[in-house]
Amino acid sequence: MDKITFPKDFTWGAACASYQVEGAVGEDSRGETIWDRYSHIRDGRIYNLEDGDTACDFYHRYPEDIGLMKELNIHSLRYSIAWSRIFPEGKGSVNQKGIDFYRKLTETLLENGIKPCATLYHWDLPQALQDLGGWCNRDMAGYYGEYAETMFRALGDLVPEWITINETYIHTRNGYYLGLHAPGLRDFSASLLAGHNLMRAHGEGVKRYRAMNSGGKIGISNNYGTAYPLTGSKEDQAAAARQEGWRRRWFTDPLFGKGYPQDMAEWYKSQGVTLPKIHDGDMELISEPMDFLGVNYYHPDYMYYDPKFWPNQSSSKLTGLPYTECNWEIEPRGLYDLLTFLDRDYNHPVIKITENGSAWRDYINREGKIADDNRIDYLYRHLLACRKAIDDGVKLNAYYAWSLTDNIEWSEATSLRFGLIYLDYATQKRIIKESGRWYGNLCRTNSFDMV
Ligand code: IFM
Protein backbone atom coordinates (compact mmCIF):
# COMPACT_ATOMS: atom_id res chain seq x y z
CA MET A 1 0.00 0.00 0.00
CA ASP A 2 1.31 3.49 -0.87
CA LYS A 3 2.13 5.74 2.02
CA ILE A 4 1.63 9.48 2.24
CA THR A 5 4.61 10.80 4.16
CA PHE A 6 5.13 14.28 5.54
CA PRO A 7 8.37 16.28 5.72
CA LYS A 8 10.76 15.40 8.50
CA ASP A 9 10.18 17.63 11.57
CA PHE A 10 6.53 18.22 10.68
CA THR A 11 4.59 18.92 13.90
CA TRP A 12 1.47 16.86 14.57
CA GLY A 13 -0.59 18.45 17.29
CA ALA A 14 -4.01 18.72 18.83
CA ALA A 15 -5.74 21.88 20.03
CA CYS A 16 -8.10 23.04 22.76
CA ALA A 17 -9.08 26.34 24.40
CA SER A 18 -9.41 27.45 28.01
CA TYR A 19 -13.15 28.15 28.26
CA GLN A 20 -14.00 25.08 26.23
CA VAL A 21 -12.14 22.62 28.46
CA GLU A 22 -11.02 24.02 31.81
CA GLY A 23 -14.16 24.40 33.91
CA ALA A 24 -13.25 25.48 37.47
CA VAL A 25 -14.67 28.90 36.67
CA GLY A 26 -14.82 29.95 40.30
CA GLU A 27 -11.49 28.53 41.41
CA ASP A 28 -8.22 30.11 42.44
CA SER A 29 -9.51 33.68 42.03
CA ARG A 30 -10.28 33.39 38.33
CA GLY A 31 -12.30 36.45 37.27
CA GLU A 32 -15.62 36.32 35.45
CA THR A 33 -15.41 36.16 31.64
CA ILE A 34 -17.83 37.26 28.95
CA TRP A 35 -18.70 33.60 28.36
CA ASP A 36 -19.62 33.07 32.03
CA ARG A 37 -21.91 36.09 31.91
CA TYR A 38 -23.39 35.12 28.53
CA SER A 39 -24.02 31.47 29.39
CA HIS A 40 -25.47 32.22 32.82
CA ILE A 41 -28.30 34.30 31.35
CA ARG A 42 -29.99 30.98 30.44
CA ASP A 43 -32.55 32.35 28.03
CA GLY A 44 -31.96 29.61 25.47
CA ARG A 45 -29.01 31.20 23.73
CA ILE A 46 -26.85 28.19 24.67
CA TYR A 47 -27.86 24.63 23.78
CA ASN A 48 -29.82 23.00 26.60
CA LEU A 49 -29.12 25.98 28.92
CA GLU A 50 -25.60 24.59 29.42
CA ASP A 51 -22.44 26.48 30.36
CA GLY A 52 -18.69 25.96 30.67
CA ASP A 53 -18.62 25.88 34.47
CA THR A 54 -17.29 22.33 34.55
CA ALA A 55 -16.63 21.58 30.87
CA CYS A 56 -13.96 18.81 30.64
CA ASP A 57 -12.61 19.67 34.09
CA PHE A 58 -9.24 20.08 32.36
CA TYR A 59 -8.20 22.40 35.19
CA HIS A 60 -7.94 19.33 37.42
CA ARG A 61 -7.65 16.52 34.88
CA TYR A 62 -4.98 17.87 32.53
CA PRO A 63 -2.44 15.25 33.69
CA GLU A 64 -4.79 12.54 32.44
CA ASP A 65 -5.29 14.29 29.10
CA ILE A 66 -1.56 14.77 28.70
CA GLY A 67 -1.11 11.06 29.48
CA LEU A 68 -3.53 10.22 26.65
CA MET A 69 -1.66 12.56 24.31
CA LYS A 70 1.53 10.75 25.16
CA GLU A 71 -0.11 7.41 24.50
CA LEU A 72 -1.11 8.71 21.05
CA ASN A 73 2.33 10.18 20.33
CA ILE A 74 0.84 13.63 19.70
CA HIS A 75 3.79 16.02 19.40
CA SER A 76 2.27 19.29 20.52
CA LEU A 77 -0.68 20.77 22.40
CA ARG A 78 -2.14 24.08 21.37
CA TYR A 79 -3.94 25.34 24.51
CA SER A 80 -5.07 28.78 25.51
CA ILE A 81 -4.57 30.88 28.58
CA ALA A 82 -7.60 32.37 30.32
CA TRP A 83 -6.75 36.07 30.69
CA SER A 84 -9.11 36.20 33.68
CA ARG A 85 -7.02 33.66 35.60
CA ILE A 86 -4.02 35.98 35.28
CA PHE A 87 -5.79 39.33 35.65
CA PRO A 88 -9.20 38.61 37.21
CA GLU A 89 -10.17 42.23 36.49
CA GLY A 90 -8.51 42.21 33.07
CA LYS A 91 -5.73 44.53 34.27
CA GLY A 92 -4.14 45.66 37.53
CA SER A 93 -2.72 43.05 39.84
CA VAL A 94 -1.57 39.63 38.74
CA ASN A 95 -3.14 36.52 40.23
CA GLN A 96 -0.16 34.28 41.01
CA LYS A 97 -2.39 31.20 41.24
CA GLY A 98 -3.25 31.62 37.56
CA ILE A 99 0.41 31.83 36.59
CA ASP A 100 1.16 28.77 38.73
CA PHE A 101 -1.55 26.77 36.98
CA TYR A 102 -0.24 27.48 33.48
CA ARG A 103 3.36 26.89 34.54
CA LYS A 104 2.47 23.51 35.99
CA LEU A 105 0.44 22.58 32.90
CA THR A 106 3.28 23.62 30.60
CA GLU A 107 5.89 21.79 32.66
CA THR A 108 3.76 18.64 32.58
CA LEU A 109 3.61 18.85 28.79
CA LEU A 110 7.37 19.19 28.57
CA GLU A 111 7.97 16.33 31.01
CA ASN A 112 5.93 14.17 28.64
CA GLY A 113 7.85 15.29 25.57
CA ILE A 114 4.98 17.41 24.25
CA LYS A 115 5.70 20.83 22.74
CA PRO A 116 3.58 23.64 24.20
CA CYS A 117 1.94 26.10 21.82
CA ALA A 118 0.12 28.77 23.85
CA THR A 119 -2.69 30.96 22.58
CA LEU A 120 -3.09 34.18 24.55
CA TYR A 121 -6.66 35.00 23.64
CA HIS A 122 -9.33 32.53 22.58
CA TRP A 123 -12.51 34.60 23.14
CA ASP A 124 -12.85 34.47 26.95
CA LEU A 125 -12.41 38.16 27.67
CA PRO A 126 -12.53 39.20 31.33
CA GLN A 127 -16.02 40.61 31.93
CA ALA A 128 -14.47 43.62 33.67
CA LEU A 129 -12.99 44.65 30.31
CA GLN A 130 -16.27 44.08 28.52
CA ASP A 131 -17.75 46.50 31.03
CA LEU A 132 -15.32 49.06 29.61
CA GLY A 133 -16.58 48.43 26.07
CA GLY A 134 -14.74 45.21 25.24
CA TRP A 135 -12.88 45.19 21.93
CA CYS A 136 -14.63 48.38 20.80
CA ASN A 137 -12.49 50.24 23.32
CA ARG A 138 -9.14 51.34 21.83
CA ASP A 139 -7.41 50.90 25.20
CA MET A 140 -7.89 47.15 24.93
CA ALA A 141 -4.75 46.75 22.82
CA GLY A 142 -2.71 48.23 25.68
CA TYR A 143 -4.38 46.03 28.32
CA TYR A 144 -3.77 43.02 26.09
CA GLY A 145 -0.13 44.07 25.66
CA GLU A 146 0.35 44.13 29.45
CA TYR A 147 -1.27 40.73 29.80
CA ALA A 148 0.72 39.25 26.91
CA GLU A 149 4.01 40.55 28.30
CA THR A 150 3.14 39.14 31.72
CA MET A 151 2.71 35.73 30.14
CA PHE A 152 5.88 35.98 28.05
CA ARG A 153 7.77 36.67 31.28
CA ALA A 154 5.97 33.92 33.18
CA LEU A 155 6.24 31.15 30.57
CA GLY A 156 8.77 32.40 28.03
CA ASP A 157 11.41 29.93 29.20
CA LEU A 158 9.01 27.02 28.57
CA VAL A 159 6.85 27.94 25.59
CA PRO A 160 8.54 28.02 22.17
CA GLU A 161 5.45 29.01 20.15
CA TRP A 162 2.81 31.62 20.83
CA ILE A 163 -0.44 32.57 19.16
CA THR A 164 -1.66 36.07 19.86
CA ILE A 165 -5.36 35.92 18.98
CA ASN A 166 -7.73 33.21 17.85
CA GLU A 167 -9.99 33.92 14.87
CA THR A 168 -10.66 37.64 14.68
CA TYR A 169 -13.29 37.03 11.98
CA ILE A 170 -15.39 34.50 13.91
CA HIS A 171 -15.06 36.31 17.23
CA THR A 172 -16.19 39.64 15.78
CA ARG A 173 -18.79 38.18 13.39
CA ASN A 174 -20.51 35.98 15.98
CA GLY A 175 -19.87 38.14 19.03
CA TYR A 176 -20.36 41.68 17.71
CA TYR A 177 -22.41 41.37 14.54
CA LEU A 178 -24.71 38.33 14.66
CA GLY A 179 -25.21 38.11 18.42
CA LEU A 180 -24.53 34.36 18.40
CA HIS A 181 -21.60 34.40 20.81
CA ALA A 182 -20.55 36.46 23.80
CA PRO A 183 -20.73 39.39 24.20
CA GLY A 184 -23.88 39.08 22.07
CA LEU A 185 -23.86 42.38 20.15
CA ARG A 186 -25.56 42.94 16.79
CA ASP A 187 -23.76 45.79 15.12
CA PHE A 188 -21.66 45.34 11.99
CA SER A 189 -19.74 48.62 12.42
CA ALA A 190 -18.90 47.59 15.98
CA SER A 191 -17.62 44.26 14.67
CA LEU A 192 -15.16 46.00 12.35
CA LEU A 193 -14.02 48.28 15.17
CA ALA A 194 -13.54 45.28 17.47
CA GLY A 195 -11.60 43.57 14.69
CA HIS A 196 -9.35 46.60 14.29
CA ASN A 197 -8.55 46.62 18.00
CA LEU A 198 -8.00 42.86 18.07
CA MET A 199 -5.49 43.22 15.25
CA ARG A 200 -3.84 46.13 17.12
CA ALA A 201 -3.65 43.88 20.17
CA HIS A 202 -2.01 41.19 18.03
CA GLY A 203 0.57 43.78 16.93
CA GLU A 204 1.19 44.78 20.56
CA GLY A 205 1.79 41.15 21.43
CA VAL A 206 4.24 40.61 18.57
CA LYS A 207 6.09 43.86 19.34
CA ARG A 208 6.49 43.07 23.03
CA TYR A 209 7.54 39.50 22.31
CA ARG A 210 10.25 40.65 19.91
CA ALA A 211 11.52 43.18 22.45
CA MET A 212 12.16 40.31 24.85
CA ASN A 213 14.35 38.42 22.37
CA SER A 214 13.36 35.07 23.74
CA GLY A 215 14.06 33.24 20.49
CA GLY A 216 10.63 31.60 20.16
CA LYS A 217 8.07 32.08 17.42
CA ILE A 218 4.85 34.06 17.39
CA GLY A 219 1.89 34.23 15.02
CA ILE A 220 -1.90 34.57 14.86
CA SER A 221 -4.65 32.03 14.11
CA ASN A 222 -7.24 33.11 11.58
CA ASN A 223 -10.35 31.22 10.55
CA TYR A 224 -10.86 30.91 6.81
CA GLY A 225 -13.49 29.27 4.64
CA THR A 226 -12.60 29.48 0.99
CA ALA A 227 -15.43 31.28 -0.84
CA TYR A 228 -16.75 29.96 -4.17
CA PRO A 229 -19.66 31.35 -6.20
CA LEU A 230 -22.74 29.13 -6.01
CA THR A 231 -23.42 29.65 -9.73
CA GLY A 232 -21.53 31.23 -12.62
CA SER A 233 -23.69 34.39 -12.47
CA LYS A 234 -21.92 37.73 -12.15
CA GLU A 235 -23.93 38.45 -9.01
CA ASP A 236 -22.86 35.23 -7.31
CA GLN A 237 -19.26 35.78 -8.32
CA ALA A 238 -19.34 39.25 -6.79
CA ALA A 239 -21.02 37.83 -3.65
CA ALA A 240 -18.22 35.25 -3.29
CA ALA A 241 -15.60 37.95 -3.80
CA ARG A 242 -17.17 40.03 -1.01
CA GLN A 243 -17.20 37.04 1.34
CA GLU A 244 -13.53 36.43 0.57
CA GLY A 245 -12.94 40.15 1.00
CA TRP A 246 -14.49 40.13 4.46
CA ARG A 247 -13.50 36.78 5.89
CA ARG A 248 -9.99 36.50 4.45
CA ARG A 249 -8.59 39.78 3.09
CA TRP A 250 -10.06 42.16 5.70
CA PHE A 251 -8.44 40.22 8.52
CA THR A 252 -5.22 39.20 6.74
CA ASP A 253 -4.10 41.95 4.35
CA PRO A 254 -3.41 44.38 7.26
CA LEU A 255 -1.27 41.77 9.05
CA PHE A 256 1.01 41.60 6.04
CA GLY A 257 1.33 45.35 5.55
CA LYS A 258 -1.24 45.67 2.75
CA GLY A 259 -3.73 47.75 4.74
CA TYR A 260 -7.46 47.14 4.58
CA PRO A 261 -8.71 46.04 1.14
CA GLN A 262 -9.87 49.21 -0.60
CA ASP A 263 -12.66 47.51 -2.57
CA MET A 264 -14.20 46.28 0.69
CA ALA A 265 -13.78 49.64 2.42
CA GLU A 266 -15.63 51.28 -0.52
CA TRP A 267 -18.35 48.65 -0.40
CA TYR A 268 -18.87 49.10 3.32
CA LYS A 269 -19.06 52.89 2.94
CA SER A 270 -21.65 52.44 0.20
CA GLN A 271 -23.71 50.32 2.62
CA GLY A 272 -23.62 52.89 5.41
CA VAL A 273 -21.13 51.02 7.60
CA THR A 274 -18.95 53.17 9.86
CA LEU A 275 -15.37 52.12 9.28
CA PRO A 276 -12.91 51.98 12.20
CA LYS A 277 -10.98 55.21 12.64
CA ILE A 278 -7.36 54.51 11.86
CA HIS A 279 -4.91 56.43 14.05
CA ASP A 280 -1.30 57.18 13.20
CA GLY A 281 0.79 54.08 13.70
CA ASP A 282 -2.13 51.61 13.76
CA MET A 283 -1.35 49.92 10.48
CA GLU A 284 2.37 49.70 11.30
CA LEU A 285 1.53 48.09 14.63
CA ILE A 286 -0.87 45.60 13.05
CA SER A 287 1.77 44.58 10.50
CA GLU A 288 4.59 43.88 12.98
CA PRO A 289 6.33 40.97 11.23
CA MET A 290 5.26 37.63 12.67
CA ASP A 291 6.86 34.20 12.30
CA PHE A 292 3.92 32.19 11.00
CA LEU A 293 0.30 32.41 10.01
CA GLY A 294 -2.03 30.01 11.83
CA VAL A 295 -4.84 28.70 9.65
CA ASN A 296 -8.09 27.30 11.02
CA TYR A 297 -10.08 25.67 8.23
CA TYR A 298 -13.27 23.61 8.41
CA HIS A 299 -15.44 24.13 5.33
CA PRO A 300 -15.89 26.13 2.12
CA ASP A 301 -18.41 28.95 1.65
CA TYR A 302 -20.58 28.58 -1.48
CA MET A 303 -21.97 32.08 -1.86
CA TYR A 304 -24.93 33.57 -3.67
CA TYR A 305 -26.15 37.12 -4.08
CA ASP A 306 -28.53 37.83 -1.21
CA PRO A 307 -29.69 41.46 -1.12
CA LYS A 308 -31.43 40.85 2.23
CA PHE A 309 -28.22 40.13 4.11
CA TRP A 310 -26.75 43.47 5.14
CA PRO A 311 -24.10 44.69 4.52
CA ASN A 312 -22.33 42.02 2.47
CA GLN A 313 -25.37 40.95 0.42
CA SER A 314 -23.97 37.49 0.16
CA SER A 315 -25.09 34.29 1.88
CA SER A 316 -23.99 30.69 1.73
CA LYS A 317 -25.90 27.56 0.81
CA LEU A 318 -25.32 23.83 0.99
CA THR A 319 -24.59 22.42 -2.44
CA GLY A 320 -25.16 18.69 -2.01
CA LEU A 321 -21.71 17.76 -0.75
CA PRO A 322 -21.54 15.52 2.33
CA TYR A 323 -21.67 17.57 5.51
CA THR A 324 -20.79 17.20 9.17
CA GLU A 325 -22.94 17.52 12.28
CA CYS A 326 -22.45 21.32 12.12
CA ASN A 327 -23.95 21.35 8.59
CA TRP A 328 -20.51 22.23 7.31
CA GLU A 329 -19.80 20.80 3.87
CA ILE A 330 -16.73 18.64 3.46
CA GLU A 331 -14.57 20.13 0.74
CA PRO A 332 -10.81 19.46 1.03
CA ARG A 333 -10.08 21.41 -2.14
CA GLY A 334 -11.14 24.46 -0.10
CA LEU A 335 -8.16 23.84 2.15
CA TYR A 336 -5.79 23.30 -0.77
CA ASP A 337 -7.00 26.46 -2.53
CA LEU A 338 -6.81 28.44 0.70
CA LEU A 339 -3.24 27.38 1.42
CA THR A 340 -2.09 28.21 -2.09
CA PHE A 341 -3.93 31.61 -2.09
CA LEU A 342 -2.31 32.53 1.22
CA ASP A 343 1.08 31.46 -0.08
CA ARG A 344 0.61 33.51 -3.26
CA ASP A 345 -0.93 36.64 -1.73
CA TYR A 346 1.28 37.02 1.34
CA ASN A 347 4.72 36.24 0.00
CA HIS A 348 5.09 32.61 1.05
CA PRO A 349 4.56 32.82 4.81
CA VAL A 350 5.29 29.86 7.07
CA ILE A 351 1.87 28.35 7.73
CA LYS A 352 0.65 26.15 10.55
CA ILE A 353 -2.80 24.62 10.45
CA THR A 354 -3.79 25.47 13.98
CA GLU A 355 -7.28 23.91 13.70
CA ASN A 356 -9.00 21.48 11.37
CA GLY A 357 -11.53 18.82 12.27
CA SER A 358 -15.14 17.73 12.21
CA ALA A 359 -18.06 17.12 14.56
CA TRP A 360 -20.10 13.94 14.37
CA ARG A 361 -22.79 12.20 16.37
CA ASP A 362 -20.32 9.92 18.13
CA TYR A 363 -21.51 7.15 20.39
CA ILE A 364 -20.02 4.27 22.34
CA ASN A 365 -20.76 1.05 20.47
CA ARG A 366 -21.36 -2.48 21.77
CA GLU A 367 -17.61 -3.04 21.99
CA GLY A 368 -17.14 0.10 24.04
CA LYS A 369 -15.52 1.85 21.08
CA ILE A 370 -16.23 5.06 19.21
CA ALA A 371 -15.99 3.89 15.61
CA ASP A 372 -15.88 7.34 14.00
CA ASP A 373 -14.85 6.46 10.49
CA ASN A 374 -16.41 9.69 9.17
CA ARG A 375 -13.85 11.67 11.23
CA ILE A 376 -10.98 9.52 9.93
CA ASP A 377 -12.25 10.11 6.40
CA TYR A 378 -12.37 13.87 6.99
CA LEU A 379 -8.81 13.86 8.37
CA TYR A 380 -7.55 11.67 5.55
CA ARG A 381 -8.99 13.89 2.81
CA HIS A 382 -7.81 17.13 4.37
CA LEU A 383 -4.34 15.76 5.01
CA LEU A 384 -4.07 14.74 1.37
CA ALA A 385 -4.89 18.36 0.53
CA CYS A 386 -2.11 19.48 2.90
CA ARG A 387 0.39 17.13 1.31
CA LYS A 388 -0.51 18.42 -2.16
CA ALA A 389 -0.11 22.01 -0.98
CA ILE A 390 3.33 21.19 0.43
CA ASP A 391 4.27 19.53 -2.88
CA ASP A 392 3.22 22.74 -4.61
CA GLY A 393 5.53 24.84 -2.45
CA VAL A 394 3.39 25.96 0.50
CA LYS A 395 5.55 26.29 3.63
CA LEU A 396 3.27 24.27 5.87
CA ASN A 397 5.09 22.86 8.90
CA ALA A 398 2.42 21.89 11.43
CA TYR A 399 -1.09 20.51 11.70
CA TYR A 400 -3.21 20.69 14.85
CA ALA A 401 -6.37 18.59 14.93
CA TRP A 402 -9.38 20.25 16.47
CA SER A 403 -9.83 18.99 19.04
CA LEU A 404 -7.97 16.89 21.59
CA THR A 405 -11.14 15.97 23.48
CA ASP A 406 -14.80 16.73 22.95
CA ASN A 407 -15.48 20.04 24.67
CA ILE A 408 -17.88 22.94 25.09
CA GLU A 409 -18.59 24.07 21.53
CA TRP A 410 -19.55 27.62 22.58
CA SER A 411 -23.31 28.19 22.03
CA GLU A 412 -23.70 24.59 20.85
CA ALA A 413 -22.11 23.46 24.13
CA THR A 414 -21.94 19.65 24.48
CA SER A 415 -24.11 19.00 21.42
CA LEU A 416 -21.17 19.04 18.98
CA ARG A 417 -18.30 16.62 19.46
CA PHE A 418 -15.04 17.49 17.69
CA GLY A 419 -12.61 15.42 19.79
CA LEU A 420 -10.12 12.70 18.97
CA ILE A 421 -11.01 11.62 22.50
CA TYR A 422 -14.61 11.10 23.60
CA LEU A 423 -15.84 12.73 26.76
CA ASP A 424 -18.60 11.30 28.88
CA TYR A 425 -19.62 14.55 30.56
CA ALA A 426 -21.60 12.79 33.31
CA THR A 427 -18.59 10.84 34.58
CA GLN A 428 -15.72 12.82 32.99
CA LYS A 429 -14.49 9.53 31.57
CA ARG A 430 -12.29 9.84 28.47
CA ILE A 431 -12.27 7.22 25.69
CA ILE A 432 -9.89 7.42 22.75
CA LYS A 433 -11.91 7.33 19.53
CA GLU A 434 -10.82 5.23 16.55
CA SER A 435 -9.88 8.52 14.85
CA GLY A 436 -7.60 9.24 17.80
CA ARG A 437 -5.86 5.89 17.23
CA TRP A 438 -5.58 6.62 13.49
CA TYR A 439 -4.16 10.07 14.19
CA GLY A 440 -1.82 8.61 16.81
CA ASN A 441 -0.39 6.26 14.23
CA LEU A 442 0.19 9.20 11.92
CA CYS A 443 1.94 11.10 14.72
CA ARG A 444 4.18 8.09 15.36
CA THR A 445 5.07 7.28 11.75
CA ASN A 446 4.70 10.70 10.11
CA SER A 447 2.68 8.94 7.41
CA PHE A 448 -0.63 7.28 6.64
CA ASP A 449 -1.72 4.61 4.19
CA MET A 450 -3.19 5.77 0.95
CA VAL A 451 -6.35 3.82 0.18
O1 IFM B 1 -14.52 25.15 18.72
C1 IFM B 1 -14.15 26.12 17.82
C2 IFM B 1 -12.88 26.80 18.26
O2 IFM B 1 -12.99 27.36 19.53
C3 IFM B 1 -12.52 27.92 17.30
N1 IFM B 1 -12.50 27.42 15.95
C4 IFM B 1 -13.61 26.65 15.48
C5 IFM B 1 -13.90 25.53 16.45
C6 IFM B 1 -15.09 24.69 15.94
O3 IFM B 1 -16.21 25.52 15.78
Side-chain angles (χ1 to χ4, degrees):
M1 202 177 276
D2 284 345
K3 280 204 179 303
I4 300 294
T5 303
F6 277 72
K8 205 168 127 289
D9 300 331
F10 195 86
T11 297
W12 294 107
C16 65
S18 43
Y19 181 76
Q20 293 180 273
V21 298
E22 282 179 5
V25 296
E27 266 180 67
D28 290 339
S29 309
R30 172 189 179 276
E32 188 190 17
T33 71
I34 55 173
W35 273 95
D36 303 320
R37 180 70 63 92
Y38 188 79
S39 63
H40 292 162
I41 294 173
R42 303 203 204 281
D43 62 351
R45 61 183 70 194
I46 309 269
Y47 165 79
N48 206 21
L49 307 185
E50 292 178 357
D51 55 48
D53 291 7
T54 306
C56 311
D57 196 25
F58 181 82
Y59 194 73
H60 302 110
R61 293 174 198 255
Y62 69 86
E64 183 182 346
D65 289 344
I66 292 174
L68 293 172
M69 286 188 76
K70 189 172 180 190
E71 187 181 331
L72 293 177
N73 308 287
I74 296 176
H75 306 174
S76 177
L77 178 68
R78 173 182 172 226
Y79 56 102
S80 80
I81 295 163
W83 185 337
S84 68
R85 289 199 191 277
I86 309 303
F87 289 102
E89 294 298 310
K91 56 193 172 88
S93 42
V94 173
N95 173 30
Q96 189 56 40
K97 288 188 209 142
I99 304 260
D100 294 346
F101 169 69
Y102 290 109
R103 258 203 94 79
K104 195 84 204 55
L105 163 63
T106 310
E107 281 165 358
T108 310
L109 286 169
L110 290 167
E111 281 156 20
N112 284 279
I114 297 168
K115 179 167 73 174
C117 171
T119 301
L120 286 159
Y121 180 68
H122 196 125
W123 306 353
D124 44 357
L125 190 73
Q127 180 63 41
L129 295 181
Q130 190 62 43
D131 295 343
L132 301 178
W135 289 105
C136 290
N137 180 339
R138 254 190 91 74
D139 295 340
M140 284 293 301
Y143 304 145
Y144 172 92
E146 288 295 302
Y147 155 62
E149 189 169 329
T150 305
M151 292 321 298
F152 299 147
R153 291 192 192 288
L155 300 185
D157 56 329
L158 304 179
V159 174
E161 277 166 10
W162 294 87
I163 289 166
T164 52
I165 302 284
N166 185 67
E167 298 182 357
T168 310
Y169 165 79
I170 298 286
H171 189 36
T172 56
R173 169 188 180 267
N174 288 359
Y176 286 77
Y177 167 41
L178 298 180
L180 299 171
H181 281 179
L185 304 186
R186 290 173 164 236
D187 178 342
F188 189 79
S189 301
S191 79
L192 293 190
L193 178 58
H196 185 66
N197 289 328
L198 275 155
M199 287 195 278
R200 288 178 52 243
H202 156 79
E204 270 296 328
V206 176
K207 194 170 87 183
R208 291 184 191 231
Y209 190 61
R210 289 283 176 251
M212 291 175 65
N213 252 327
S214 72
K217 308 267 188 229
I218 191 160
I220 192 169
S221 286
N222 274 352
N223 181 302
Y224 300 108
T226 315
Y228 300 106
L230 188 64
T231 71
S233 75
K234 269 204 337 257
E235 290 78 9
D236 285 1
Q237 288 183 11
R242 281 195 298 279
Q243 174 66 10
E244 191 71 353
W246 176 34
R247 185 170 189 160
R248 173 161 76 93
R249 290 184 291 130
W250 191 268
F251 297 107
T252 316
D253 285 9
L255 303 173
F256 287 93
K258 295 170 126 184
Y260 284 112
Q262 249 344 90
D263 57 330
M264 291 308 293
E266 293 306 326
W267 172 266
Y268 288 140
K269 275 194 253 163
S270 78
Q271 298 299 308
V273 171
T274 307
L275 293 176
K277 183 167 164 20
I278 299 174
H279 294 235
D280 282 351
D282 280 5
M283 300 319 281
E284 289 75 12
L285 180 63
I286 290 173
S287 58
E288 278 286 329
M290 55 184 171
D291 300 303
F292 61 85
L293 175 64
V295 168
N296 297 356
Y297 172 85
Y298 291 88
H299 61 89
D301 292 325
Y302 282 95
M303 307 306 298
Y304 65 98
Y305 170 57
D306 177 4
K308 290 192 295 300
F309 190 57
W310 180 85
N312 284 297
Q313 299 190 6
S314 86
S315 293
S316 65
K317 246 195 197 148
L318 298 185
T319 62
L321 289 166
Y323 55 87
T324 70
E325 200 58 26
C326 307
N327 290 347
W328 292 347
E329 287 191 321
I330 302 172
E331 181 56 297
R333 87 160 160 142
L335 178 56
Y336 173 82
D337 287 348
L338 169 66
L339 292 171
T340 48
F341 294 159
L342 294 170
D343 182 69
R344 177 197 66 197
D345 289 359
Y346 304 112
N347 198 20
H348 318 299
V350 171
I351 295 180
K352 293 179 192 297
I353 294 190
T354 43
E355 285 182 27
N356 176 237
S358 57
W360 299 98
R361 196 162 287 213
D362 299 319
Y363 63 94
I364 306 173
N365 72 11
R366 64 197 177 287
E367 294 173 317
K369 291 185 175 161
I370 293 98
D372 55 338
D373 191 56
N374 31 24
R375 185 172 286 102
I376 298 177
D377 200 66
Y378 182 98
L379 286 167
Y380 175 92
R381 291 172 194 271
H382 286 81
L383 290 170
L384 279 183
C386 292
R387 180 64 253 193
K388 184 161 158 33
I390 295 171
D391 290 341
D392 292 345
V394 173
K395 294 192 205 152
L396 177 67
N397 70 7
Y399 176 96
Y400 287 81
W402 185 269
S403 181
L404 178 62
T405 60
D406 295 335
N407 58 50
I408 298 297
E409 176 57 21
W410 307 108
S411 298
E412 279 76 27
T414 60
S415 69
L416 291 176
R417 295 181 175 272
F418 277 91
L420 296 171
I421 299 172
Y422 183 88
L423 214 110
D424 177 346
Y425 290 99
T427 60
Q428 288 292 341
K429 186 171 174 211
R430 277 91 163 126
I431 305 173
I432 297 175
K433 300 180 190 176
E434 292 307 293
S435 61
R437 304 251 171 237
W438 186 90
Y439 191 68
N441 196 44
L442 164 61
C443 297
R444 187 169 52 79
T445 61
N446 198 29
S447 65
F448 59 88
D449 289 336
M450 173 104 181
V451 289

